[in-house]
Amino acid sequence: MIPVFICEDERETREKIKSALEKEILIQGYDMEIICSAERPEELLSCAKSQESRGIYFLDVELKGASIDGFGLGKEIRKLDSRGFLVYVTGFGDLAFETFRYHLEALDYIVKGNDGEMLKRIRTCLAVINHRLTEERGEEKEYFTLKQVDVLRHIPLEDIFYFETTEKKHHILLHYRQGRIDFGGNLNELQGQLGSRFLRIHRTYLVNTMQIDKVDRKNRQVVLKNGEGCWYSRKGKSLLDEYFLHRP
Amino acid sequence: MHFTFWSVMAYNLIDAAFTYVGQVLLSRGLLQRKGNEKRTVFLSVPFCVLTALLASVIYINQGFSDIRVVLPYNYTNVFFWAVWIFLVYKETLLDAGAAASLTAFFYNVAISMTGFFFQGNADLSVWSELVFFALSDWILELFFAAVLAAGIRRFRLGEAYRQLFYESSFGNRWKIASLFLIAFWHGSVYLINEKKILNNDNPMAAMLLLLLVFCVLNYGSLCEAQKKQLILQESNIKQQETYITALEKIQKEVRMFRHDYKNMISGVLAHADHGDLKAVQEFLGDMAEHFERQTGEDIRRMAQLSKVNIPELKGLFLLKFSEMQRKEINCNLEVSPSIVNPGIPAYDLCRMVGILVDNAMEAVESLKEKKFDLVLTSSGECVSIVVKNPVEDSVPLQEIWKEGNSTKGMGRGLGLASLKRTARSYENVFVSTFLEKGCLIQELKIAADRTWEGQT
């Protein structure tokens, strides 16, 4: 069961959202339940603390009289539930949604005003979340979490090709299926953290064994499934030999 | 005392160590960064042994009095240093060659400067004279090399070097020309010394050549600076023009709306008279939406832009916006909270952001919906500039970073490589590109201080 949370300071809107959600969950038979419909962010947070599973949050951006606004609340929620679904509901259409999406990975941004339109969007949101959850359920992915200065990113382990040091101190370049991410870190620490699925084939490379396509002995390179090559050192060679010897 | 091969070798080894330190200082000044420090330490051994060996062999065979030997000897040393730069700075071989050539040149100047303090050739067969000569020679050499390195930094020659050799359209010609610098140097010293090799150098010639190189580099950078100044002024004017145009447009829209709304209100009244509440609702909804679409967007963008508190960057955006208007590209700008300079020079910031925006414009130009997002946000820890544009088909992600590569064919795609080059001078700058839900996201993060270190 997936917990659903609402935080909205206007009672009327809160009730509207709540009843729309309840109806939709009932009709579609989603495995969700509204466990908290709060006026103040503190209420929601204390309620969310007692929950362990990934939740769905419908949040107002402007919370009158509260100590934090919806953006601050989103940040707090992310600390508790890093992969939950955040949906913002706001009276102002011109607030910066991309910023929310960037910092909080917010799912949607619904503008209040036209009730019919708003409730339709809420229903769509639930459908999208449900679709995503069913899709993910089958494949139980493992994630690697990195801190990119001020934002956290979750990268599926299986998508990672390799990590590389750069000429800049304390910088690591992560090469994965969707691109490359430059973040602050240390290859030795990463190696310890990621365990035996990653091989340190060179002082500057930490390679995902799942992504090795072949070993090009002539050029002393490991060729990955995306076609990129990484050099290996003599020590790396013996690691590779050992890996392929014991591979099931 | 008698010179054996080994005593000469010992002398040259110490000499090479001083040269090494001096050249490291000079290269750092020129390339404006430290490179790989571990390698800097480790490579000192092979470098010193190789150069000392070469010098010793030539000395024993009395080759230093012949320009036909001196020239290849110097080029071999330049080659060693090019390999050093290649390994420590990960430059390409041509870039490393150019940098090595300039480093060697500066170091030669430093050596020549010591000539002002010595009169006549020292008698190296006398122990005391040898020790005195050696010590003062080495220390003075290093001293002048350090002074030159400081000068390079002080007069921003590294900046000029980068602009002339990497950023200008004649970069490769400059690089190749610089390779002849050493030949030019020894040739001119040879000629000035009336075709005799004395100390292998001549301080006056050194001064003149240094002046020449300094002038060329400075002139080059001055030209670039003037170009930049001009662009800045132009962009300032453009900025104001665009601003005025935008405000005039908003004013016009509002005036038209005022003109229309009387008619509209009478329409609403007619509906209300009939008691048709639904029609009234629809009508008002349409009216609000119409206004929002026509004028709201412009007002919004100007409001966002006013939160960019870096004049150069604001100018860049206005310039890009007018270009986008021409190309009918729609850019959603979000700035929150307001952005101040994160502590890197504005011209480099603009250069990097400009590349990201250009890339996005180029990418959406061919799409049906020409629209992309530009998000500037800052937290206490860092300033993030995120450009997000939809992409139609798969982008060859590993390719787009390579020099001269682009999904758009020849002549494009210098962007990301040049961005990488600018970014590598700043340890607190993070550049990432990745795909997410059908969009290419290019991200520039500038950390405020060193808090990001050691975080995983």
Side-chain angles (χ1 to χ4, degrees):
Chain A
M1 199 270 305
I2 296 142
V4 180
F5 303 81
I6 302 168
C7 188
E8 163 69 63
D9 57 343
E10 281 170 55
R11 201 178 58 82
E12 205 183 318
T13 319
R14 188 168 67 234
E15 290 307 322
K16 264 186 215 159
I17 295 173
K18 193 178 169 202
S19 76
L21 284 172
E22 273 169 350
K23 257 187 242 163
E24 188 66 10
I25 290 171
L26 196 68
I27 294 169
Q28 302 288 343
Y30 292 141
D31 184 23
M32 303 170 185
E33 191 192 335
I34 300 177
I35 62 158
C36 173
S37 176
E39 184 189 347
R40 310 178 61 79
E42 294 80 12
E43 271 176 69
L44 185 141
L45 284 174
S46 68
C47 187
K49 261 178 207 143
S50 59
Q51 287 294 321
E52 292 208 339
S53 63
R54 198 169 167 189
I56 303 169
Y57 306 82
F58 285 88
L59 310 172
D60 190 3
V61 179
E62 314 76 34
L63 295 163
K64 276 178 216 92
S67 54
I68 47 173
D69 62 356
F71 188 71
L73 178 58
K75 275 189 170 172
E76 290 301 316
I77 291 173
R78 277 276 171 257
K79 283 183 198 161
L80 300 170
D81 180 2
S82 66
R83 301 193 53 232
F85 297 97
L86 300 183
V87 178
Y88 280 93
V89 184
T90 173
F92 298 100
D94 57 354
L95 277 169
F97 175 50
E98 285 301 332
T99 313
F100 276 64
R101 182 129 72 184
Y102 179 73
H103 275 291
L104 302 169
E105 290 181 70
L107 180 77
D108 204 356
Y109 198 78
I110 299 171
V111 182
K112 286 184 215 168
N114 189 335
D115 279 353
E117 202 59 39
M118 176 176 93
L119 299 177
K120 205 169 107 194
R121 277 285 281 279
I122 287 179
R123 287 197 289 272
T124 320
C125 271
L126 282 188
V128 167
I129 292 169
N130 189 56
H131 178 70
R132 226 185 259 182
L133 285 172
T134 17
E135 227 177 28
E136 280 175 25
R137 201 163 297 150
E139 39 187 326
E140 277 307 311
K141 279 185 190 171
E142 260 189 275
Y143 286 86
F144 168 72
T145 304
L146 61 88
K147 188 169 186 216
Q148 201 191 2
V149 194
D150 64 341
V151 290
L152 287 177
R153 285 189 191 288
H154 310 281
I155 314 282
L157 267 187
E158 58 182 37
D159 284 354
I160 295 176
F161 291 120
Y162 64 95
F163 296 89
E164 177 191 19
T165 56
T166 68
E167 56 186 326
K168 287 198 272 186
K169 254 189 193 167
H170 309 292
H171 277 242
I172 301 280
L173 205 54
L174 159 67
H175 296 248
Y176 71 121
R177 200 184 296 279
Q178 281 78 26
R180 47 171 80 175
I181 292 180
D182 183 1
F183 68 103
N186 175 316
L187 214 53
N188 287 336
E189 278 170 24
L190 282 178
Q191 192 183 357
Q193 191 186 333
L194 289 162
S196 59
R197 273 172 298 181
F198 283 72
L199 286 185
R200 184 77 173 269
I201 58 161
H202 189 273
R203 207 169 41 76
T204 59
Y205 295 119
L206 183 62
V207 173
N208 187 353
T209 51
M210 284 191 276
Q211 294 289 357
I212 296 179
D213 186 27
K214 60 181 180 212
V215 177
D216 179 355
R217 305 222 173 240
K218 203 173 122 202
N219 295 316
R220 301 178 60 79
Q221 272 191 343
V222 166
V223 181
L224 300 171
K225 284 182 182 158
N226 64 345
E228 267 191 288
C230 295
W231 284 310
Y232 56 79
S233 61
R234 199 180 305 171
K235 209 170 137 203
K237 184 175 175 287
S238 58
L239 279 173
L240 282 165
D241 288 343
E242 198 176 335
Y243 171 72
F244 282 109
L245 200 68
H246 293 107
R247 198 169 62 162
Chain B
M1 68 173 275
H2 179 66
F3 288 113
T4 63
F5 174 77
W6 291 110
S7 60
V8 173
M9 183 70 187
Y11 178 92
N12 278 334
L13 265 177
I14 305 172
D15 188 61
F18 275 91
T19 308
Y20 189 78
V21 176
Q23 297 204 137
V24 168
L25 288 177
L26 288 166
S27 286
R28 279 185 180 179
L30 198 62
L31 295 171
Q32 294 178 298
R33 58 184 199 280
K34 281 185 177 164
N36 186 323
E37 280 178 353
K38 265 189 212 151
R39 288 191 180 178
T40 307
V41 176
F42 287 133
L43 285 173
S44 63
V45 178
F47 175 83
C48 290
V49 172
L50 277 174
T51 48
L53 199 65
L54 187 64
S56 306
V57 169
I58 294 175
Y59 186 86
I60 291 290
N61 296 312
Q62 297 184 336
F64 278 120
S65 55
D66 191 344
I67 185 130
R68 284 166 302 179
V69 179
V70 170
L71 218 48
Y73 162 74
N74 274 288
Y75 269 103
T76 316
N77 278 340
V78 170
F79 173 73
F80 286 154
W81 201 250
V83 172
W84 183 85
I85 289 176
F86 174 74
L87 290 172
V88 172
Y89 287 94
K90 294 185 183 167
E91 296 273 354
T92 64
L93 268 179
L94 179 61
D95 293 354
S101 185
L102 276 172
T103 305
F105 169 76
F106 283 124
Y107 198 75
N108 269 321
V109 171
I111 293 174
S112 295
M113 292 299 185
T114 60
F116 282 123
F117 296 85
F118 296 112
Q119 278 161 0
N121 281 350
D123 185 359
L124 297 189
S125 54
V126 182
W127 256 107
S128 59
E129 271 199 44
L130 175 69
V131 171
F132 175 75
F133 170 76
L135 274 179
S136 48
D137 190 27
W138 292 331
I139 291 167
L140 274 173
E141 247 175 68
L142 198 56
F143 169 74
F144 281 118
V147 167
L148 275 177
I152 288 171
R153 235 163 259 191
R154 172 73 183 75
F155 294 107
R156 304 181 69 83
L157 281 193
E159 184 63 34
Y161 169 76
R162 197 178 71 185
Q163 267 167 10
L164 224 53
F165 281 59
Y166 291 111
E167 311 288 336
S168 85
S169 42
F170 301 115
N172 275 345
R173 286 183 213 177
W174 280 107
K175 285 173 200 165
I176 290 165
S178 72
L179 293 180
F180 291 100
L181 197 55
I182 295 295
F184 183 59
W185 158 273
H186 285 284
S188 50
V189 169
Y190 180 63
L191 289 177
I192 289 167
N193 289 351
E194 291 165 348
K195 300 194 179 174
K196 272 177 272 174
I197 301 273
L198 292 168
N199 284 329
N200 309 333
D201 43 46
N202 179 316
M204 285 318 286
M207 295 288 273
L208 281 173
L209 277 176
L210 180 66
L211 213 62
L212 190 71
V213 169
F214 178 77
C215 285
V216 169
L217 276 178
N218 233 2
Y219 176 73
S221 80
L222 210 67
C223 285
E224 287 289 323
Q226 263 174 350
K227 239 189 262 173
K228 238 183 247 163
Q229 185 81 32
L230 215 64
I231 290 170
L232 195 72
Q233 276 175 356
E234 264 173 30
S235 91
N236 267 339
I237 294 170
K238 265 235 164 79
Q239 178 177 342
Q240 280 158 9
E241 273 175 6
T242 324
Y243 198 66
I244 291 169
T245 322
L247 289 180
E248 274 175 350
K249 194 173 157 232
I250 292 170
Q251 197 230 17
K252 209 169 120 193
E253 296 279 345
V254 172
R255 217 170 46 213
M256 269 171 57
F257 193 76
R258 177 177 166 272
H259 177 257
D260 287 353
Y261 99 97
K262 279 185 192 162
N263 298 335
M264 291 176 177
I265 293 292
S266 55
V268 182
L269 277 175
H271 285 304
D273 278 347
H274 288 98
D276 190 348
L277 196 63
K278 194 159 169 29
V280 173
Q281 276 174 342
E282 251 171 44
F283 200 97
L284 287 176
D286 283 354
M287 199 164 86
E289 196 192 330
H290 175 78
F291 182 76
E292 183 62 29
R293 203 178 47 231
Q294 288 281 321
T295 319
E297 190 61 27
D298 288 330
I299 295 176
R300 212 184 71 85
R301 184 185 281 172
M302 285 297 143
Q304 295 294 319
L305 207 55
S306 70
K307 287 192 271 183
V308 180
N309 288 331
I310 310 166
E312 291 90 344
L313 199 61
K314 197 189 263 184
L316 176 84
F317 285 152
L318 276 164
L319 202 71
K320 294 291 172 198
F321 282 146
S322 66
E323 197 181 329
M324 283 179 228
Q325 206 161 30
R326 225 174 32 244
K327 293 181 176 169
E328 295 177 343
I329 294 171
N330 194 352
C331 170
N332 167 42
L333 175 70
E334 284 179 16
V335 185
S336 77
S338 48
I339 301 287
V340 291
N341 198 328
I344 63 172
Y347 54 83
D348 272 344
L349 181 67
C350 283
R351 184 182 299 167
M352 293 193 281
V353 176
I355 290 169
L356 296 187
V357 174
D358 282 345
N359 285 348
M361 281 167 64
E362 197 179 295
V364 298
E365 225 174 327
S366 57
L367 298 183
K368 220 179 279 167
E369 199 188 357
K370 300 176 185 178
K371 189 177 184 312
F372 71 94
D373 294 303
L374 176 55
V375 180
L376 278 78
T377 130
S378 71
S379 61
E381 292 158 283
C382 82
V383 170
S384 311
I385 294 152
V386 184
V387 179
K388 179 176 161 191
N389 62 270
V391 280
E392 250 174 0
D393 33 38
S394 65
V395 182
L397 279 167
Q398 311 307 332
E399 299 294 317
I400 54 176
W401 284 93
K402 286 183 191 151
E403 192 107 28
N405 241 326
S406 157
T407 53
K408 300 272 167 182
M410 283 293 286
R412 309 251 191 131
L414 282 165
L416 282 178
S418 158
L419 170 66
K420 211 162 98 182
R421 196 158 42 237
T422 312
R424 73 181 171 190
S425 311
Y426 304 101
E427 297 237 319
N428 58 339
V429 170
F430 295 79
V431 188
S432 307
T433 46
F434 48 91
L435 291 169
E436 204 176 80
K437 296 178 194 120
C439 288
L440 178 70
I441 296 174
Q442 308 175 73
E443 194 187 73
L444 188 70
K445 283 176 107 60
I446 304 148
D449 45 35
R450 310 195 65 81
T451 47
W452 53 272
E453 264 183 27
Q455 289 169 346
T456 46

